[in-house]
Amino acid sequence: MLVLSAGLVVAGAVAVKGIRTASDTITVTGASTERIRSDYVDWTVTVSGSGPSQQSAYQSLQPQLQRTLAYLEEQGIPAKAIGRGVIQSSSNDIRNHVTGALMSTTWTARQPIRISSADVTLIRDVSIRISDLVGQGVSITVEPPAYTYTKLAEKRVDMLAKATADARKRAIAIADQANSGIGAITKADTGTFQITVPNSTEMGSYGSYNTSTIDKDITAVMGVTFRVQ
């Protein structure tokens, strides 16, 4: 935000020099930032089983899969929030490094489990505790939960309106230094839309959408051109 603020100051300083007559315009960048809280989460846990054949790998997977599903429900996640992906299997050949002869083959079967829920706090807490299954001998791979905000379209409109209002305030402050006034908007350009971790100073050229935290900062930027009176 320090970088963004500096950019706004520079833009304002350049614009003052362009105020000459009533037909002139001034272009100012406005911004609006708010803290929002994610209201939805997607989380994937993959359970694995291994064996010397594809069939044995699948058979090894089943009890671990059932234990994982039971654990998720024990933690308070409803069955309707839990879905299964397509089982995938792969093989790994172990060969003699001198002769290249095949020594053994290990098959691995993987079952993705996807959890989708509006209870972001519950899923966050379970994602922290699920490593307990590893201590019970369950082979799992846990991806970080992806937290999103489902009302983003409505929030975007509100944020752009506030960014435009901020641009007008800046334009008025700049015009006052030249004893001029601000008239109607002649052009408005939507800038980058940033959703970042709280208090982040990172700004992407094409916008950003952070999904790693429940709380986020949302920033809208507008480039607005006003007529100078």
Side-chain angles (χ1 to χ4, degrees), residues 107-121:
W107 282 85
T108 302
R110 300 178 180 85
Q111 170 72 75
I113 303 172
R114 181 168 180 171
I115 299 94
S116 299
S117 173
D119 194 339
V120 295
T121 302

Side-chain angles (χ1 to χ4, degrees), residues 6 9 14 29 84 89 93 97 107 119 163 166 189 208 211 215 223:
V9 172
V14 173
T29 300
R84 300 191 203 183
S89 61
D93 294 336
H97 69 280
W107 282 85
D119 194 339
D166 180 62
D189 294 318
S208 61
T211 61
D215 294 314

Side-chain angles (χ1 to χ4, degrees), residues 1-187:
M1 294 310 297
L2 292 176
V3 174
L4 175 61
S5 299
L8 297 177
V9 172
V10 172
V14 173
V16 172
K17 298 179 182 179
I19 302 177
R20 295 186 301 277
T21 69
S23 63
D24 284 339
T25 59
I26 178 174
T27 299
V28 180
T29 300
S32 177
T33 299
E34 287 185 17
R35 181 70 50 83
I36 61 174
R37 187 171 181 81
S38 302
D39 58 5
Y40 205 77
V41 58
D42 287 303
W43 179 42
T44 300
V45 177
T46 302
V47 186
S48 302
S50 299
S53 67
Q54 190 174 26
Q55 180 182 19
S56 62
Y58 177 82
Q59 293 172 340
S60 171
L61 169 67
Q62 294 311 303
Q64 300 193 74
L65 173 60
Q66 295 307 316
R67 180 67 194 97
T68 303
L69 292 172
Y71 177 85
L72 293 174
E73 294 192 31
E74 288 167 6
Q75 298 301 307
I77 300 177
K80 64 180 181 180
I82 303 172
R84 300 191 203 183
V86 177
I87 293 181
Q88 302 174 341
S89 61
S90 61
S91 61
N92 180 43
D93 294 336
I94 305 298
R95 295 182 178 276
N96 186 295
H97 69 280
V98 177
T99 65
L102 179 64
M103 299 174 62
S104 64
T105 298
T106 300
W107 282 85
T108 302
R110 300 178 180 85
Q111 170 72 75
I113 303 172
R114 181 168 180 171
I115 299 94
S116 299
S117 173
D119 194 339
V120 295
T121 302
L122 171 63
I123 302 305
R124 178 200 60 193
D125 294 344
V126 176
S127 70
I128 294 172
R129 297 192 298 264
I130 198 169
S131 57
D132 294 344
L133 284 175
V134 177
Q136 299 173 21
V138 179
S139 177
I140 58 172
T141 302
V142 181
E143 295 183 14
Y147 303 101
T148 54
Y149 184 66
T150 61
K151 302 179 182 67
L152 187 57
E154 301 141 47
K155 177 59 70 174
R156 185 190 298 268
V157 173
D158 177 60
M159 296 293 291
L160 291 176
K162 291 178 179 178
T164 302
D166 180 62
R168 178 175 287 279
K169 290 180 182 178
R170 294 175 183 275
I172 291 172
I174 293 170
D176 282 347
Q177 300 302 311
N179 297 318
S180 300
I182 294 300
I185 294 175
T186 62
K187 184 180 180 183

